[in-house]
Amino acid sequence: TPEEYQLYFIAPVLEDAWCLLLGEMHKFVPLSRNRFVGVNGNSLYMNILIEGSTDEVVKIAYAVQNESSSQQWQVKTRSVQIPASGRIQVTLVRSQEASVPRPGMVGQKET
């Protein structure tokens, strides 16, 4: 008979958290320090610095707090393509729940 198990992981929560970075949900370690090399923000935005191979597509998941209820969260995903530099910064903006274009950002999609 198959054994049952549960898998938990810990995600960083910034002060005044309106957005939670969940990482690459399809991976065993969704928030690897080798992939997500920097996360910071405040009550208005969240910056996520991601590393990878040139042209690699990284699908990140994050949860956004419902404006009308602090108990409800909506999970969203975004795909980004790593540029030749090997790093990309993704900025999530609370009022838009979308990225702010920055030099070097390529191929972002939100679902």
Side-chain angles (χ1 to χ4, degrees):
T1 64
E3 293 183 32
E4 290 186 29
Y5 67 94
Q6 295 180 350
L7 178 64
Y8 298 91
F9 71 94
I10 298 171
V13 177
L14 301 175
E15 192 173 329
D16 295 326
W18 60 273
C19 183
L20 304 174
L21 177 60
L22 302 175
E24 295 178 281
M25 299 302 294
H26 61 284
K27 296 212 173 167
F28 191 74
V29 180
L31 287 171
S32 168
R33 288 184 186 192
N34 294 330
R35 171 74 76 197
F36 299 95
V37 296
V39 177
N40 66 53
N42 58 30
S43 63
L44 301 176
Y45 67 90
M46 178 185 282
N47 288 322
I48 307 162
L49 186 58
I50 302 170
E51 282 190 351
S53 301
T54 301
D55 294 329
E56 179 181 8
V57 176
V58 179
K59 184 175 182 180
I60 60 170
Y62 57 98
V64 178
Q65 188 175 35
N66 185 319
E67 291 290 332
S68 61
S69 170
S70 63
Q71 300 300 314
Q72 295 180 354
W73 295 78
Q74 179 183 7
V75 175
K76 296 185 173 191
T77 61
R78 176 169 302 166
S79 294
V80 296
Q81 186 174 5
I82 305 295
S85 67
R87 284 186 165 200
I88 188 168
Q89 178 175 299
V90 176
T91 301
L92 305 174
V93 179
R94 183 178 193 164
S95 63
Q96 300 169 358
E97 298 176 13
S99 70
V100 174
R102 301 221 186 264
M105 293 186 80
V106 206
Q108 291 197 52
K109 286 194 250 177
E110 185 174 345
T111 58

